[in-house]
Structures are given as structure tokens and as C-alpha cells.
PDB file of all heavy atoms in Angstrom:
ATOM      1  N   HIS K   1      -4.193  26.651 -10.544  1.00 46.00           N
ATOM      2  CA  HIS K   1      -3.222  27.518 -11.230  1.00 46.00           C
ATOM      3  C   HIS K   1      -1.902  27.435 -10.635  1.00 46.00           C
ATOM      4  O   HIS K   1      -0.838  27.625 -11.144  1.00 46.00           O
ATOM      5  CB  HIS K   1      -3.721  28.941 -11.130  1.00 46.00           C
ATOM      6  CG  HIS K   1      -4.705  29.358 -12.161  1.00 46.00           C
ATOM      7  ND1 HIS K   1      -4.536  29.098 -13.530  1.00 46.00           N
ATOM      8  CD2 HIS K   1      -5.915  29.916 -12.081  1.00 46.00           C
ATOM      9  CE1 HIS K   1      -5.601  29.457 -14.222  1.00 46.00           C
ATOM     10  NE2 HIS K   1      -6.399  30.047 -13.320  1.00 46.00           N
ATOM     11  N   THR K   2      -1.772  27.000  -9.254  1.00 55.00           N
ATOM     12  CA  THR K   2      -0.589  27.071  -8.499  1.00 55.00           C
ATOM     13  C   THR K   2      -0.210  25.786  -7.916  1.00 55.00           C
ATOM     14  O   THR K   2       0.744  25.658  -7.207  1.00 55.00           O
ATOM     15  CB  THR K   2      -0.623  28.158  -7.441  1.00 55.00           C
ATOM     16  OG1 THR K   2      -1.811  27.952  -6.585  1.00 55.00           O
ATOM     17  CG2 THR K   2      -0.759  29.555  -8.071  1.00 55.00           C
ATOM     18  N   SER K   3      -1.045  24.814  -8.118  1.00 63.00           N
ATOM     19  CA  SER K   3      -0.778  23.424  -7.448  1.00 63.00           C
ATOM     20  C   SER K   3      -1.416  22.346  -8.232  1.00 63.00           C
ATOM     21  O   SER K   3      -2.320  22.530  -9.097  1.00 63.00           O
ATOM     22  CB  SER K   3      -1.401  23.406  -6.014  1.00 63.00           C
ATOM     23  OG  SER K   3      -2.713  23.501  -6.048  1.00 63.00           O
ATOM     24  N   ALA K   4      -0.901  21.162  -8.036  1.00 74.00           N
ATOM     25  CA  ALA K   4      -1.371  19.891  -8.737  1.00 74.00           C
ATOM     26  C   ALA K   4      -2.755  19.606  -8.168  1.00 74.00           C
ATOM     27  O   ALA K   4      -2.941  19.454  -6.953  1.00 74.00           O
ATOM     28  CB  ALA K   4      -0.391  18.822  -8.538  1.00 74.00           C
ATOM     29  N   LYS K   5      -3.640  19.274  -9.064  1.00 76.00           N
ATOM     30  CA  LYS K   5      -5.046  18.836  -8.699  1.00 76.00           C
ATOM     31  C   LYS K   5      -4.972  17.512  -7.801  1.00 76.00           C
ATOM     32  O   LYS K   5      -5.848  17.360  -6.933  1.00 76.00           O
ATOM     33  CB  LYS K   5      -5.949  18.669  -9.802  1.00 76.00           C
ATOM     34  CG  LYS K   5      -5.522  17.479 -10.820  1.00 76.00           C
ATOM     35  CD  LYS K   5      -6.540  17.391 -11.920  1.00 76.00           C
ATOM     36  CE  LYS K   5      -6.081  16.313 -12.962  1.00 76.00           C
ATOM     37  NZ  LYS K   5      -7.120  16.143 -13.982  1.00 76.00           N
ATOM     38  N   GLN K   6      -3.954  16.693  -8.069  1.00 84.00           N
ATOM     39  CA  GLN K   6      -3.911  15.413  -7.382  1.00 84.00           C
ATOM     40  C   GLN K   6      -3.536  15.601  -6.004  1.00 84.00           C
ATOM     41  O   GLN K   6      -3.558  14.623  -5.188  1.00 84.00           O
ATOM     42  CB  GLN K   6      -2.983  14.416  -8.053  1.00 84.00           C
ATOM     43  CG  GLN K   6      -3.315  14.090  -9.506  1.00 84.00           C
ATOM     44  CD  GLN K   6      -2.897  15.106 -10.526  1.00 84.00           C
ATOM     45  OE1 GLN K   6      -2.128  16.139 -10.154  1.00 84.00           O
ATOM     46  NE2 GLN K   6      -3.254  14.897 -11.748  1.00 84.00           N
ATOM     47  N   LEU K   7      -2.948  16.792  -5.602  1.00 85.00           N
ATOM     48  CA  LEU K   7      -2.530  17.003  -4.210  1.00 85.00           C
ATOM     49  C   LEU K   7      -3.469  17.790  -3.383  1.00 85.00           C
ATOM     50  O   LEU K   7      -3.169  18.128  -2.301  1.00 85.00           O
ATOM     51  CB  LEU K   7      -1.169  17.741  -4.262  1.00 85.00           C
ATOM     52  CG  LEU K   7      -0.019  16.936  -4.858  1.00 85.00           C
ATOM     53  CD1 LEU K   7       1.278  17.713  -4.772  1.00 85.00           C
ATOM     54  CD2 LEU K   7       0.148  15.581  -4.142  1.00 85.00           C
ATOM     55  N   VAL K   8      -4.631  18.217  -3.944  1.00 84.00           N
ATOM     56  CA  VAL K   8      -5.717  18.836  -3.086  1.00 84.00           C
ATOM     57  C   VAL K   8      -6.111  17.728  -2.097  1.00 84.00           C
ATOM     58  O   VAL K   8      -6.533  16.694  -2.443  1.00 84.00           O
ATOM     59  CB  VAL K   8      -6.849  19.335  -4.010  1.00 84.00           C
ATOM     60  CG1 VAL K   8      -7.909  19.884  -3.085  1.00 84.00           C
ATOM     61  CG2 VAL K   8      -6.390  20.372  -5.006  1.00 84.00           C
ATOM     62  N   PRO K   9      -6.206  18.102  -0.809  1.00 87.00           N
ATOM     63  CA  PRO K   9      -6.567  17.165   0.176  1.00 87.00           C
ATOM     64  C   PRO K   9      -8.028  16.864   0.430  1.00 87.00           C
ATOM     65  O   PRO K   9      -8.774  17.878   0.369  1.00 87.00           O
ATOM     66  CB  PRO K   9      -5.911  17.770   1.492  1.00 87.00           C
ATOM     67  CG  PRO K   9      -5.984  19.158   1.237  1.00 87.00           C
ATOM     68  CD  PRO K   9      -5.792  19.445  -0.264  1.00 87.00           C
ATOM     69  N   VAL K  10      -8.528  15.699   0.566  1.00 89.00           N
ATOM     70  CA  VAL K  10      -9.762  15.365   1.055  1.00 89.00           C
ATOM     71  C   VAL K  10      -9.565  14.638   2.331  1.00 89.00           C
ATOM     72  O   VAL K  10      -8.704  13.664   2.507  1.00 89.00           O
ATOM     73  CB  VAL K  10     -10.561  14.545   0.025  1.00 89.00           C
ATOM     74  CG1 VAL K  10     -11.055  15.458  -1.105  1.00 89.00           C
ATOM     75  CG2 VAL K  10      -9.747  13.353  -0.476  1.00 89.00           C
ATOM     76  N   ALA K  11     -10.392  14.980   3.381  1.00 91.00           N
ATOM     77  CA  ALA K  11     -10.139  14.426   4.686  1.00 91.00           C
ATOM     78  C   ALA K  11      -8.682  14.565   5.156  1.00 91.00           C
ATOM     79  O   ALA K  11      -8.057  13.687   5.733  1.00 91.00           O
ATOM     80  CB  ALA K  11     -10.553  12.964   4.842  1.00 91.00           C
ATOM     81  N   ASN K  12      -8.073  15.675   4.731  1.00 93.00           N
ATOM     82  CA  ASN K  12      -6.690  16.051   5.082  1.00 93.00           C
ATOM     83  C   ASN K  12      -5.598  15.148   4.660  1.00 93.00           C
ATOM     84  O   ASN K  12      -4.567  14.883   5.228  1.00 93.00           O
ATOM     85  CB  ASN K  12      -6.619  16.148   6.665  1.00 93.00           C
ATOM     86  CG  ASN K  12      -7.052  17.591   7.075  1.00 93.00           C
ATOM     87  OD1 ASN K  12      -7.732  18.234   6.346  1.00 93.00           O
ATOM     88  ND2 ASN K  12      -6.722  18.059   8.368  1.00 93.00           N
ATOM     89  N   LYS K  13      -5.838  14.492   3.505  1.00 91.00           N
ATOM     90  CA  LYS K  13      -4.900  13.757   2.852  1.00 91.00           C
ATOM     91  C   LYS K  13      -4.953  13.908   1.333  1.00 91.00           C
ATOM     92  O   LYS K  13      -6.032  13.892   0.728  1.00 91.00           O
ATOM     93  CB  LYS K  13      -5.056  12.220   3.079  1.00 91.00           C
ATOM     94  CG  LYS K  13      -3.987  11.273   2.418  1.00 91.00           C
ATOM     95  CD  LYS K  13      -4.333   9.845   2.489  1.00 91.00           C
ATOM     96  CE  LYS K  13      -4.428   9.441   3.898  1.00 91.00           C
ATOM     97  NZ  LYS K  13      -4.766   7.905   4.032  1.00 91.00           N
ATOM     98  N   PRO K  14      -3.894  14.238   0.582  1.00 91.00           N
ATOM     99  CA  PRO K  14      -3.928  14.456  -0.863  1.00 91.00           C
ATOM    100  C   PRO K  14      -4.599  13.308  -1.594  1.00 91.00           C
ATOM    101  O   PRO K  14      -4.434  12.154  -1.247  1.00 91.00           O
ATOM    102  CB  PRO K  14      -2.495  14.529  -1.253  1.00 91.00           C
ATOM    103  CG  PRO K  14      -1.751  14.977   0.010  1.00 91.00           C
ATOM    104  CD  PRO K  14      -2.534  14.386   1.126  1.00 91.00           C
ATOM    105  N   VAL K  15      -5.499  13.710  -2.469  1.00 89.00           N
ATOM    106  CA  VAL K  15      -6.136  12.668  -3.259  1.00 89.00           C
ATOM    107  C   VAL K  15      -5.188  11.545  -3.874  1.00 89.00           C
ATOM    108  O   VAL K  15      -5.626  10.364  -3.819  1.00 89.00           O
ATOM    109  CB  VAL K  15      -7.057  13.280  -4.393  1.00 89.00           C
ATOM    110  CG1 VAL K  15      -7.643  12.185  -5.393  1.00 89.00           C
ATOM    111  CG2 VAL K  15      -8.075  14.162  -3.868  1.00 89.00           C
ATOM    112  N   LEU K  16      -4.133  11.976  -4.356  1.00 93.00           N
ATOM    113  CA  LEU K  16      -3.146  11.045  -4.929  1.00 93.00           C
ATOM    114  C   LEU K  16      -2.757   9.979  -3.990  1.00 93.00           C
ATOM    115  O   LEU K  16      -2.571   8.865  -4.426  1.00 93.00           O
ATOM    116  CB  LEU K  16      -1.939  11.875  -5.458  1.00 93.00           C
ATOM    117  CG  LEU K  16      -0.719  11.096  -6.006  1.00 93.00           C
ATOM    118  CD1 LEU K  16      -1.201  10.242  -7.242  1.00 93.00           C
ATOM    119  CD2 LEU K  16       0.386  11.959  -6.286  1.00 93.00           C
ATOM    120  N   PHE K  17      -2.590  10.240  -2.710  1.00 95.00           N
ATOM    121  CA  PHE K  17      -2.168   9.298  -1.831  1.00 95.00           C
ATOM    122  C   PHE K  17      -3.071   8.180  -1.541  1.00 95.00           C
ATOM    123  O   PHE K  17      -2.744   7.026  -1.267  1.00 95.00           O
ATOM    124  CB  PHE K  17      -1.892   9.989  -0.383  1.00 95.00           C
ATOM    125  CG  PHE K  17      -0.507  10.765  -0.430  1.00 95.00           C
ATOM    126  CD1 PHE K  17      -0.146  11.482  -1.519  1.00 95.00           C
ATOM    127  CD2 PHE K  17       0.328  10.772   0.642  1.00 95.00           C
ATOM    128  CE1 PHE K  17       1.102  12.219  -1.539  1.00 95.00           C
ATOM    129  CE2 PHE K  17       1.478  11.410   0.675  1.00 95.00           C
ATOM    130  CZ  PHE K  17       1.900  12.145  -0.458  1.00 95.00           C
ATOM    131  N   TYR K  18      -4.398   8.385  -1.680  1.00 92.00           N
ATOM    132  CA  TYR K  18      -5.323   7.341  -1.604  1.00 92.00           C
ATOM    133  C   TYR K  18      -5.168   6.252  -2.698  1.00 92.00           C
ATOM    134  O   TYR K  18      -5.141   5.044  -2.411  1.00 92.00           O
ATOM    135  CB  TYR K  18      -6.823   7.839  -1.693  1.00 92.00           C
ATOM    136  CG  TYR K  18      -7.241   8.716  -0.503  1.00 92.00           C
ATOM    137  CD1 TYR K  18      -7.175  10.041  -0.563  1.00 92.00           C
ATOM    138  CD2 TYR K  18      -7.663   8.043   0.695  1.00 92.00           C
ATOM    139  CE1 TYR K  18      -7.558  10.893   0.488  1.00 92.00           C
ATOM    140  CE2 TYR K  18      -8.055   8.827   1.771  1.00 92.00           C
ATOM    141  CZ  TYR K  18      -8.024  10.245   1.796  1.00 92.00           C
ATOM    142  OH  TYR K  18      -8.342  10.977   2.786  1.00 92.00           O
ATOM    143  N   GLY K  19      -4.831   6.763  -3.862  1.00 93.00           N
ATOM    144  CA  GLY K  19      -4.595   5.760  -4.957  1.00 93.00           C
ATOM    145  C   GLY K  19      -3.310   5.046  -4.718  1.00 93.00           C
ATOM    146  O   GLY K  19      -3.154   3.837  -4.975  1.00 93.00           O
ATOM    147  N   LEU K  20      -2.239   5.726  -4.348  1.00 96.00           N
ATOM    148  CA  LEU K  20      -0.923   5.095  -4.098  1.00 96.00           C
ATOM    149  C   LEU K  20      -1.063   4.085  -2.992  1.00 96.00           C
ATOM    150  O   LEU K  20      -0.492   3.010  -3.009  1.00 96.00           O
ATOM    151  CB  LEU K  20       0.104   6.153  -3.821  1.00 96.00           C
ATOM    152  CG  LEU K  20       0.408   7.105  -4.971  1.00 96.00           C
ATOM    153  CD1 LEU K  20       1.423   8.125  -4.497  1.00 96.00           C
ATOM    154  CD2 LEU K  20       0.962   6.407  -6.149  1.00 96.00           C
ATOM    155  N   GLU K  21      -1.807   4.383  -1.924  1.00 95.00           N
ATOM    156  CA  GLU K  21      -2.040   3.415  -0.852  1.00 95.00           C
ATOM    157  C   GLU K  21      -2.788   2.223  -1.292  1.00 95.00           C
ATOM    158  O   GLU K  21      -2.374   1.045  -0.851  1.00 95.00           O
ATOM    159  CB  GLU K  21      -2.704   4.128   0.253  1.00 95.00           C
ATOM    160  CG  GLU K  21      -1.898   5.094   1.047  1.00 95.00           C
ATOM    161  CD  GLU K  21      -2.579   5.907   2.014  1.00 95.00           C
ATOM    162  OE1 GLU K  21      -3.879   5.886   2.148  1.00 95.00           O
ATOM    163  OE2 GLU K  21      -1.943   6.742   2.835  1.00 95.00           O
ATOM    164  N   ALA K  22      -3.814   2.391  -2.174  1.00 94.00           N
ATOM    165  CA  ALA K  22      -4.607   1.331  -2.654  1.00 94.00           C
ATOM    166  C   ALA K  22      -3.597   0.373  -3.524  1.00 94.00           C
ATOM    167  O   ALA K  22      -3.843  -0.864  -3.470  1.00 94.00           O
ATOM    168  CB  ALA K  22      -5.814   1.786  -3.484  1.00 94.00           C
ATOM    169  N   ILE K  23      -2.783   0.963  -4.286  1.00 96.00           N
ATOM    170  CA  ILE K  23      -1.885   0.223  -5.071  1.00 96.00           C
ATOM    171  C   ILE K  23      -0.990  -0.688  -4.213  1.00 96.00           C
ATOM    172  O   ILE K  23      -0.736  -1.874  -4.456  1.00 96.00           O
ATOM    173  CB  ILE K  23      -1.112   1.076  -6.002  1.00 96.00           C
ATOM    174  CG1 ILE K  23      -1.980   1.610  -7.122  1.00 96.00           C
ATOM    175  CG2 ILE K  23       0.110   0.346  -6.642  1.00 96.00           C
ATOM    176  CD1 ILE K  23      -1.422   2.900  -7.880  1.00 96.00           C
ATOM    177  N   ALA K  24      -0.372  -0.106  -3.237  1.00 96.00           N
ATOM    178  CA  ALA K  24       0.486  -0.758  -2.238  1.00 96.00           C
ATOM    179  C   ALA K  24      -0.340  -1.887  -1.496  1.00 96.00           C
ATOM    180  O   ALA K  24       0.122  -3.061  -1.388  1.00 96.00           O
ATOM    181  CB  ALA K  24       0.989   0.217  -1.241  1.00 96.00           C
ATOM    182  N   GLU K  25      -1.600  -1.603  -1.182  1.00 95.00           N
ATOM    183  CA  GLU K  25      -2.373  -2.670  -0.469  1.00 95.00           C
ATOM    184  C   GLU K  25      -2.596  -3.846  -1.377  1.00 95.00           C
ATOM    185  O   GLU K  25      -2.814  -4.946  -0.925  1.00 95.00           O
ATOM    186  CB  GLU K  25      -3.714  -2.025   0.006  1.00 95.00           C
ATOM    187  CG  GLU K  25      -3.384  -0.992   1.203  1.00 95.00           C
ATOM    188  CD  GLU K  25      -4.756  -0.203   1.567  1.00 95.00           C
ATOM    189  OE1 GLU K  25      -5.745  -0.502   0.825  1.00 95.00           O
ATOM    190  OE2 GLU K  25      -4.711   0.565   2.417  1.00 95.00           O
TER     191      GLU K  25
END
């Protein structure tokens, strides 16, 4: 309700960042 689902952290990193890192790699 108050935040983007893609920014909820798993293992203390937003989910979105795992995908962006995979794309960069």
C-alpha cells in the first residue's frame, strides 16, 4: 500500500536489484 513490491528486500537487498545486477552481469 505504501511501497513498491520490487523494493521489498530479501537477504537485505531489494528484489529489483538482483535482476538489475543479473542484467549488468
Side-chain angles (χ1 to χ4, degrees):
H1 277 310
T2 55
S3 63
K5 62 178 179 177
Q6 298 84 5
L7 295 181
V8 176
V10 286
N12 278 17
K13 183 191 298 183
V15 172
L16 176 63
F17 281 40
Y18 290 98
L20 295 177
E21 289 172 353
I23 288 165
E25 289 168 3

